[in-house]
Amino acid sequence: MQDAAALLPRLVAIAAEAGARIVEVRQRPHSVEAKADGSPLTEADLAAEAVIAAGLAAAAPTIPVVSEEDAARVAPPEGATFLLVDPLDGTREFLGPTGEFTVNIALIEAGRPVCGVVYAPALGRIWQGAAGLGAQAGDLPAGGDAGAIAWRPVRARPRPAEALVAVASRSHLDPQTEAFLAALPVGERRSIGSSLKFCLVAEGEADVYPRLAPTMEWDTAAGQAVLEAAGGRVTTPEGAPFRYGKAGAGFRNGPFVAWGAE
């Protein structure tokens, strides 16, 4: 088992450097290509990937790394310990005006995200969390000093019996998720991009985040680590544990629901 207390500050520093690089690219003309699946790939994706790969090689040289931009190269055995990275989650938000994109880095042990960092550089917000250590949030402008963050603890709130606050994808809301939300006593719905939805639930600003449309493991692992460290949970719609390390399935997720505290 890795020492999460020692690893987390290294992950925060790496995410901070990657986030600063993304913002630098976003502020000037930059290239955008199309991947094989039609999704956009920007110069910022590749720049952040390079920063994170170098940082993790120095911080945790013995732990395999699975990243969105290089997933085909690494396939850890089932149950193995590995790092899971999305260097730029929310590329559509990066290309748009909201700034609701994140850098996601998580440590997976035995199929579970046990610690993670989510950084939203354009918003100047960062979250960290680890099993047994709780979750914290802080302010970090792009290019700021990651070692000087004034961390504050965050905690998911108990789920109310009615008037739930739900968060949903800004770009990928599907009919199945709409039907799931319609069956809940939702009083308010918020739409937001990237893994920020997990962080809203972790901070007690929302109660539920369902996603029945396809996602990839690197989209969700860091957010799940933060949320579960804050007292929430992520399960399948049927309530089963939501697992990681599905290399044989191309690291593709099934449907999930992220809940606040019970």
Side-chain angles (χ1 to χ4, degrees):
M1 180 177 293
Q2 298 295 315
D3 183 353
L7 183 61
L8 262 180
R10 306 289 297 274
L11 300 186
V12 166
I14 293 166
E17 184 180 355
R21 187 76 181 94
I22 290 168
V23 169
E24 185 273 322
V25 172
R26 188 172 186 247
Q27 291 173 339
R28 60 170 171 77
H30 54 271
S31 62
V32 182
E33 304 172 5
K35 299 183 188 180
D37 63 1
S39 61
L41 175 67
T42 73
E43 183 182 340
D45 289 90
L46 300 176
E49 164 78 13
V51 166
I52 294 170
L56 293 178
T62 64
I63 305 178
V65 178
V66 174
S67 174
E68 176 181 13
E69 308 309 337
D70 198 22
R73 190 176 61 83
V74 182
E78 185 175 349
T81 295
F82 66 100
L83 288 153
L84 193 51
V85 173
D86 191 342
L88 202 175
D89 180 29
T91 303
R92 288 179 175 84
E93 284 75 21
F94 168 84
L95 294 170
T98 69
E100 294 170 355
F101 57 87
T102 57
V103 177
N104 300 336
I105 307 175
L107 176 68
I108 310 299
E109 290 184 344
R112 178 178 171 227
V114 296
C115 78
V117 174
V118 175
Y119 179 36
L123 305 180
R125 301 288 310 281
I126 190 165
W127 296 262
Q128 65 174 6
L133 299 178
Q136 298 83 34
D139 299 318
L140 181 64
D145 182 0
I149 299 169
W151 294 105
R152 55 189 179 277
V154 296
R155 187 76 182 168
R157 69 186 184 189
R159 190 191 318 167
E162 56 186 25
L164 298 177
V165 176
V167 284
S169 173
R170 185 183 297 282
S171 305
H172 303 282
L173 190 60
D174 62 291
Q176 291 81 8
T177 301
E178 286 279 17
F180 184 93
L181 287 169
L184 296 176
V186 173
E188 177 185 350
R189 186 189 298 189
R190 298 177 62 181
S191 297
I192 194 167
S194 70
S195 56
L196 290 168
K197 295 179 282 292
F198 289 102
C199 298
L200 288 180
V201 182
E203 291 211 59
E205 295 184 22
D207 303 297
V208 61
Y209 160 38
R211 178 67 182 262
L212 278 65
T215 58
M216 305 301 290
E217 292 188 10
W218 44 78
D219 295 323
T220 61
Q224 180 173 344
V226 170
L227 173 56
E228 293 187 342
R233 62 191 178 98
V234 180
T235 70
T236 68
E238 297 76 27
F242 195 65
R243 310 296 288 180
Y244 290 80
K246 302 179 291 294
F251 300 99
R252 185 174 298 277
N253 284 330
F256 67 85
V257 184
W259 296 99
E262 294 183 321

